[in-house]
């Protein structure tokens, strides 16, 4: 018995040492074999399935390139894995990286700019949305190919609007209107407990960035870091203060519910019918449509602006992610990757992508695709984000901030907003000043490392 | 026994059971809620206020979860990885702890302190060197790559050493005089007596490994080599959380650990109580 235990322990040790499978040798490419490339992406759940479907379609559409798509965790996990892999050149040929990583990936000098492939082939990109290209153009070159793009929209419950004698076809357009509508939409029960809030907006740094952009404000100096490298955060101005004060006044009045930083929670409250309005990315649209089906009528409106005049002057920034080709891979793989990228942004694929996710097509012809037209006839809500995109002028405000430390900056802003909303920081000005100071410091530290 | 003390005893017992019941409910509720949610159809997930009792039995969630991530394969991978780490830690920790507990050698205290001090180095700070090393010897996408960095642990050694230290020194001396070799003493006397500590370590290291996320994500590129926690994130959509599907995945992933717990439970309780009833 004791001997058996010993033998078992030794066996166990050796069993653990057996490799699961031998490391695959690099396949040598025969001339008629397809080029095999890896593609890393960060979309999970249903959206991840849609990506896999598109990859499968690509592989079936031709026999020169075979793409293996692998999910690599959240955007943050994926970029960390990429950074770790770069040291040993263990990277894929194509990778999907979120908007915030644009400056960083460009500075790391590990990618081949998309512009090089476009120029070599004289590839026509006139049909790719201008505003989206604008975001991913750094130092005068298109660095990556936009793939999934979204902007924030106002989701509202039409049934609640009707019950509160508001026109369900007219969502609020300005901050004052949001407050006014919310007041009417807030309901209390007999004991004075609020059972329905007018709105709930997550303290999400992206919303703050968007609100600054629609107010015509730069996030950083040097025109968002687009004219020259950004050195200072500049959002701690009157517009930023006005935004936070308006937001807090609604929470203090009890017509806006504070559900913290996560849009997951505001979405859930909206679906459950305890708040009448919420903000979220258009990418959440398909799911809102499904969640509301049979329960209430879903309305979608523009991101509310401070005043009506702002609609003519500025617009939203694009969000989402783009596809990058890495220069650590052999040229043949990079060329194969380029074929794949072209396929992914083509009109037909982008229409499919739009319908199944809510991310709008980056290819203008995607809207005119019969499937997409039919879809929007059925769900006119999908039109709103596209209109909002086309409304936005193409300039350095809507191009969005370009800094190497954006993920960190966004969190700093979220912390500042939360501290002000919960009363830890007494004034909005102080909250934003502190956040701006901390971000400026990070930007300068980052700039020192890339010089 | 007089009546008042009897009454007081009963009252005390009732109170104790009441407290235990409350504690049990608090412990079980999240699990219960997860299981109930995993059987809700999308239209009922967001019902407010949430229902305490299941109102439907919608198994499509499980099919969806299995379709979005190859969970069965992941569970198997995690099981192999966790068992490997667990067994390696038991063996390594027993051997190292034996040296620290029983063998006299120069600088024992110092070596032990250096050993323990490694507990203060956060795993995150060594993850990149570990990654580059495992990558360098081409152990990425293998079970060995998943297991190797965790085979030895300072905490495990410390835990087992403490347990060995509590054994009477006379036992070791007597065995040695009778001609018992060190290895034999370890295997036939020390290990069986330290069973509670080994059991605790086994469960701890298994769960710790089962819950790993970053390391398996870094070291594996093939979907077939991935582990359960990555599987759960694969179900979590950035823009549209399907709670019922996620919960279905969590329930599936939880089953092996529950089975392990029920098997180990009897062993653990037996081990814990074996020497405890003296008075």
């Amino acid at each position: 018995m004791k001997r058996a235990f010993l033998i078992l322990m030794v066996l166990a040790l050796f069993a653990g040492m057996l490799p699961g499978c031998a490391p695959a040798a690099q396949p040598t490419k025969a001339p008629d074999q397809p080029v095999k490339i890896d593609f890393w992406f960060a979309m999970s759940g249903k959206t991840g399935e849609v990506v896999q479907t598109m990859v499968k379609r690509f592989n079936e559409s031709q026999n020169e390139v075979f793409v293996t798509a692998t999910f690599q965790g959240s955007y943050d996990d994926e970029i960390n894995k990429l950074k770790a892999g770069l040291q040993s050149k263990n990277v894929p040929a194509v990778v999907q990286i979120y908007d915030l990583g644009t400056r960083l990936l460009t500075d790391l000098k590990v990618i081949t700019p998309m512009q090089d492939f476009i120029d070599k082939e004289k590839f026509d990109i006139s049909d790719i949305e201008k505003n989206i290209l604008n975001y991913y153009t750094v130092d005068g070159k298109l660095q990556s190919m936009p793939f999934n793009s979204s902007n924030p929209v106002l989701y509202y419950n039409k049934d609640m609007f009707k019950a509160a004698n508001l026109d369900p076809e007219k969502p609020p357009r300005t901050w004052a209107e949001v407050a006014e509508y919310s007041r009417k939409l807030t309901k209390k029960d007999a004991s004075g407990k609020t059972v329905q809030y007018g709105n709930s907006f997550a303290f999400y740094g992206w919303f703050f960035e968007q609100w600054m952009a629609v107010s015509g404000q730069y996030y950083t100096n040097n025109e968002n870091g687009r004219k020259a490298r950004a050195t200072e955060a500049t959002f701690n101005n009157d517009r930023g203060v006005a935004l936070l004060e308006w937001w807090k006044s609604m929470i203090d009045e009890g017509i806006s519910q504070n559900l913290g930083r996560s849009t997951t929670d505001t979405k859930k409250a909206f679906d459950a019918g305890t708040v009448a309005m919420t903000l979220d990315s258009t990418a959440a649209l398909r799911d809102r449509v499904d969640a509301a089906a049979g329960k209430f009528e879903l309305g979608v409106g523009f991101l509310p602006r401070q005043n009506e005049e702002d609609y003519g002057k500025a617009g939203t920034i694009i969000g989402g992610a783009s596809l990058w080709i890495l220069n650590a891979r052999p040229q043949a793989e990079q060329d194969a990757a380029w074929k794949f990228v072209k396929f992914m942004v083509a009109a037909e694929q982008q229409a499919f992508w739009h319908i199944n996710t809510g991310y709008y097509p980056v290819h203008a012809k995607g809207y005119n695709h019969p499937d997409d037209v039919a879809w929007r006839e059925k769900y006119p809500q999908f039109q709103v984000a596209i209109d909002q995109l086309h409304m936005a002028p193409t300039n350095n405000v809507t191009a969005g901030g370009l800094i190497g430390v954006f993920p960190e900056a966004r969190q700093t802003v979220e912390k500042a907003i939360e501290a002000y909303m919960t009363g830890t920081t007494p004034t909005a000005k102080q909250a934003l000043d502190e956040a701006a100071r901390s971000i400026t410091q990070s930007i300068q530290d980052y700039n020192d490392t890339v010089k | 026994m007089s009546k008042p003390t009897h009454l007081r005893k009963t009252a005390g017992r009732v109170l104790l059971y009441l407290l235990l019941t409350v504690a049990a409910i608090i412990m079980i509720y999240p699990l219960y809620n997860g299981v109930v949610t995993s059987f809700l159809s999308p239209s009922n997930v967001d019902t407010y206020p949430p229902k305490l009792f299941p109102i439907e039995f919608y198994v499509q969630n499980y099919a969806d979860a299995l379709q979005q991530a190859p969970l069965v394969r992941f569970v198997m991978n995690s099981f192999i990885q966790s068992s490997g780490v667990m067994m390696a830690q038991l063996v390594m920790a027993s051997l190292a702890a034996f040296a620290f507990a029983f063998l006299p050698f120069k600088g024992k205290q110092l070596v032990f302190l250096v050993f323990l001090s490694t507990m203060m180095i956060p795993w995150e700070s060594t993850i990149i060197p570990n990654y580059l090393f495992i990558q360098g010897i081409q152990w990425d996408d293998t079970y060995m790559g998943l297991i190797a960095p965790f085979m030895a642990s300072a905490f495990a050694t410390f835990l087992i050493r403490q347990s060995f230290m509590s054994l009477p020194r006379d036992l070791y001396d007597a065995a040695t005089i009778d001609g018992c070799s060190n290895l034999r003493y370890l295997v036939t006397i020390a290990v069986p007596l330290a069973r509670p500590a080994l059991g605790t370590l086994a469960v701890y290291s298994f769960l710790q490994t089962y819950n790993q996320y970053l390391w398996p994500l870094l070291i594996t590129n093939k979907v077939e080599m991935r582990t359960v926690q990555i599987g759960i994130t694969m179900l979590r959509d950035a823009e549209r959380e399907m709670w019922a599907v996620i919960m279905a995945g969590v329930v599936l992933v939880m089953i092996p650990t529950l089975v392990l717990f029920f098997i180990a439970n009897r062993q653990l309780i037996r081990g814990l109580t074996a020497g405890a009833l003296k008075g």
Side-chain angles (χ1 to χ4, degrees):
Chain A
M1 156 77 203
K2 305 294 173 201
R3 186 169 300 263
F5 185 69
L6 177 69
I7 292 169
L8 210 72
M9 277 187 19
V10 172
L11 272 182
L13 187 62
F14 281 106
M17 281 180 178
L18 286 173
C21 47
Q26 284 296 318
T28 40
K29 195 177 78 74
D32 53 345
Q33 287 281 305
V35 184
K36 285 188 181 141
I37 58 168
D38 283 319
F39 166 47
W40 288 1
F41 66 99
M43 322 220 79
S44 42
K46 279 261 186 267
T47 319
E49 267 184 70
V50 181
V51 175
Q52 291 283 14
T53 309
M54 290 167 76
V55 170
K56 203 164 146 242
R57 284 182 172 192
F58 173 72
N59 286 337
E60 282 163 2
S61 72
Q62 42 75 49
N63 51 17
E64 292 170 349
V65 183
F66 187 87
V67 178
T68 309
T70 324
F71 167 71
Q72 299 292 2
S74 68
Y75 284 134
D76 287 316
D77 294 337
E78 187 197 30
I79 205 167
N80 283 334
K81 175 157 176 168
L82 186 74
K83 279 195 269 181
L86 283 169
Q87 305 188 32
S88 54
K89 307 257 179 229
N90 176 38
V91 290
V94 201
V95 61
Q96 177 203 26
I97 297 283
Y98 58 1
D99 44 6
L100 303 187
T102 304
R103 178 83 251 180
L104 180 69
L105 266 253
T106 310
D107 286 338
L108 284 174
K109 305 208 188 318
V110 295
I111 58 115
T112 307
M114 227 27 94
Q115 195 75 48
D116 294 4
F117 295 98
I118 292 167
D119 292 347
K120 211 181 338 177
E121 204 171 288
K122 307 243 179 313
F123 182 70
D124 181 20
I125 53 164
S126 57
D127 277 334
I128 309 274
E129 294 283 348
K130 289 274 163 318
N131 285 349
I132 308 178
L133 286 180
N134 201 17
Y135 189 101
Y136 297 105
T137 303
V138 181
D139 306 334
K141 271 184 175 179
L142 183 67
Q143 302 287 342
S144 60
M145 188 60 90
F147 171 59
N148 53 311
S149 276
S150 61
N151 56 32
V153 286
L154 181 83
Y155 291 89
Y156 65 98
N157 185 321
K158 285 189 180 175
D159 292 8
M160 289 183 186
F161 269 52
K162 278 180 217 153
N165 286 326
L166 293 164
D167 184 351
E169 300 313 318
K170 282 205 177 119
R173 283 171 63 88
T174 63
W175 294 354
E177 276 174 17
V178 170
E180 185 194 320
Y181 281 41
S182 295
R183 215 163 281 135
K184 290 183 186 156
L185 287 161
T186 302
K187 273 202 290 200
K188 292 186 176 178
D189 66 7
S191 62
K193 198 173 149 278
T194 310
V195 288
Q196 178 185 312
Y197 284 91
N199 71 60
S200 180
F201 304 145
F203 306 145
Y204 181 21
W206 189 54
F207 296 154
F208 179 82
E209 291 151 30
Q210 295 288 353
W211 259 319
M212 291 312 285
V214 296
S215 302
Q217 304 299 307
Y218 293 119
Y219 195 80
T220 67
N221 64 351
N222 294 333
E223 299 194 2
N224 267 342
R226 297 278 172 180
K227 251 176 85 182
R229 195 174 275 278
T231 55
E232 204 184 319
T234 56
F235 53 75
N236 50 334
N237 54 25
D238 294 350
R239 288 295 195 115
V241 169
L243 166 69
L244 260 53
E245 283 174 350
W246 158 73
W247 203 340
K248 186 167 197 286
S249 73
M250 291 193 298
I251 293 176
D252 290 347
E253 199 186 324
I255 55 175
S256 176
Q257 192 177 16
N258 170 2
L259 287 172
R261 292 190 202 184
S262 166
T263 55
T264 307
D265 298 326
T266 55
K267 268 186 284 202
K268 203 155 165 42
F270 180 76
D271 291 347
T274 57
V275 301
M277 294 186 278
T278 191
L279 277 186
D280 216 315
S281 155
T282 50
L285 179 52
R286 178 69 194 261
D287 199 31
R288 297 285 77 63
V289 169
D290 292 347
K295 283 199 285 189
F296 60 85
E297 221 186 315
L298 175 74
V300 175
F302 296 137
L303 176 73
R305 320 280 151 107
Q306 186 176 14
N307 48 53
E308 198 60 39
E309 296 85 73
D310 282 348
Y311 276 92
K313 285 189 272 182
T316 50
I317 313 167
I318 60 108
S322 60
L323 304 175
W324 298 76
I325 295 181
L326 290 152
N327 62 17
R329 306 306 304 183
Q331 192 60 43
E333 284 195 23
Q334 292 187 43
D335 292 339
W338 166 240
K339 288 192 184 117
F340 173 61
V341 168
K342 278 192 292 188
F343 176 87
M344 292 296 266
V345 298
E348 195 188 343
Q349 300 311 316
Q350 284 291 320
F352 177 75
W353 180 237
H354 181 215
I355 293 168
N356 283 287
T357 61
Y359 285 108
Y360 43 66
V362 298
H363 196 287
K365 291 217 172 85
Y367 308 115
N368 304 329
H369 193 275
D371 291 351
D372 206 271
V373 173
W375 178 258
R376 273 175 292 146
E377 258 165 36
K378 196 168 163 209
Y379 296 110
Q381 294 101 325
F382 277 76
Q383 184 64 43
V384 175
I386 300 169
D387 291 344
Q388 186 163 258
L389 169 73
H390 290 155
M391 253 162 51
T394 306
N395 57 33
N396 283 341
V397 171
T398 59
L402 192 63
I403 53 178
V405 289
F406 225 132
E408 182 193 334
R410 185 174 279 179
Q411 280 192 21
T412 307
V413 168
E414 287 172 1
K415 226 185 324 177
I417 297 175
E418 200 163 38
Y420 172 61
M421 296 298 172
T422 52
T424 319
T425 315
T427 66
K429 179 76 183 141
Q430 193 185 333
L432 290 181
D433 280 348
E434 278 168 17
R437 197 179 315 125
S438 150
I439 293 168
T440 299
Q441 185 60 48
S442 303
I443 295 175
Q444 283 166 358
D445 291 347
Y446 173 84
N447 287 350
D448 287 344
T449 63
V450 291
K451 250 170 216 163
Chain B
M1 201 179 282
S2 67
K3 229 177 169 194
T5 41
H6 181 70
L7 259 180
R8 204 158 56 218
K9 249 190 166 167
T10 316
R13 185 154 290 187
V14 168
L15 196 72
L16 180 70
Y17 275 95
L18 224 78
L19 276 173
L20 284 175
T21 312
V22 171
I25 290 172
I26 292 173
M27 295 283 287
I28 285 176
Y29 180 72
L31 281 176
Y32 172 78
N33 194 37
V35 174
V36 170
T37 308
S38 75
F39 287 113
L40 291 180
S41 64
S43 56
N44 280 325
V45 168
D46 298 311
T47 318
Y48 187 86
K51 299 265 188 304
L52 192 56
F53 297 104
I55 40 174
E56 62 183 329
F57 198 72
Y58 184 79
V59 285
Q60 183 61 33
N61 293 328
Y62 284 83
D64 285 351
L66 285 169
Q67 197 206 333
Q68 281 173 26
L71 286 174
V72 176
R73 174 83 205 196
F74 289 175
V75 165
M76 191 188 92
N77 288 342
S78 274
F79 206 81
I80 293 173
Q81 187 204 5
S82 305
S83 312
V85 169
M86 176 182 88
M87 290 186 222
Q89 281 201 6
L90 287 177
V91 175
M92 300 260 187
S94 304
L95 289 168
F98 182 81
F100 286 126
F102 297 113
L103 302 182
F105 58 91
K106 257 204 180 115
K108 186 158 107 172
Q109 285 307 320
L110 187 73
V111 173
F112 187 60
L113 279 177
V114 171
F115 213 83
L116 280 190
S117 67
T118 61
M119 278 171 74
M120 288 165 64
I121 304 170
W123 157 248
E124 285 73 14
S125 69
T126 59
I127 203 158
I128 297 295
N130 266 317
Y131 170 75
L132 292 176
F133 180 73
I134 296 287
Q135 184 93 71
I137 57 174
Q138 299 207 332
W139 271 1
D140 44 341
D141 278 329
T142 65
Y143 287 121
M144 205 53 218
L146 287 170
I147 295 168
F150 309 97
M151 296 208 324
S153 139
F155 168 75
T157 309
F158 177 71
L159 188 80
I160 305 303
R161 175 188 175 266
Q162 291 312 101
S163 169
F164 283 174
M165 296 286 273
S166 67
L167 303 179
R169 180 79 198 175
D170 296 346
L171 209 59
Y172 178 65
D173 292 341
T176 317
I177 290 165
D178 282 348
C180 175
S181 74
N182 279 332
L183 193 62
R184 185 158 168 209
Y185 178 76
L186 170 69
V187 175
T188 58
I189 300 171
V191 164
L193 285 172
R195 205 189 275 168
L198 288 167
T200 311
L201 176 63
V203 172
Y204 173 83
S205 63
F206 187 93
L207 289 183
Q208 193 86 340
T209 318
Y210 204 78
N211 288 336
Q212 269 181 15
Y213 174 68
L214 190 57
W215 181 254
L217 182 70
L218 272 177
I219 210 69
T220 61
N221 285 316
K222 286 202 204 105
V223 179
E224 310 88 74
M225 287 307 292
R226 295 222 143 146
T227 57
V228 286
Q229 303 305 330
I230 303 173
I232 299 294
T233 17
M234 281 173 82
L235 303 176
R236 252 211 88 193
D237 197 313
E239 305 289 356
R240 32 203 293 220
E241 286 82 2
M242 313 288 279
W243 289 114
V245 176
I246 296 172
M247 284 307 160
V250 169
V251 169
L252 286 175
V253 159
M254 212 161 54
I255 293 169
T257 52
L258 283 180
V259 169
L260 178 87
F261 177 76
F262 285 125
I263 294 170
N265 202 16
R266 281 183 57 200
Q267 280 290 322
L268 274 181
I269 291 171
R270 199 191 297 162
L272 285 168
T273 50
L277 292 170
K278 266 190 188 149

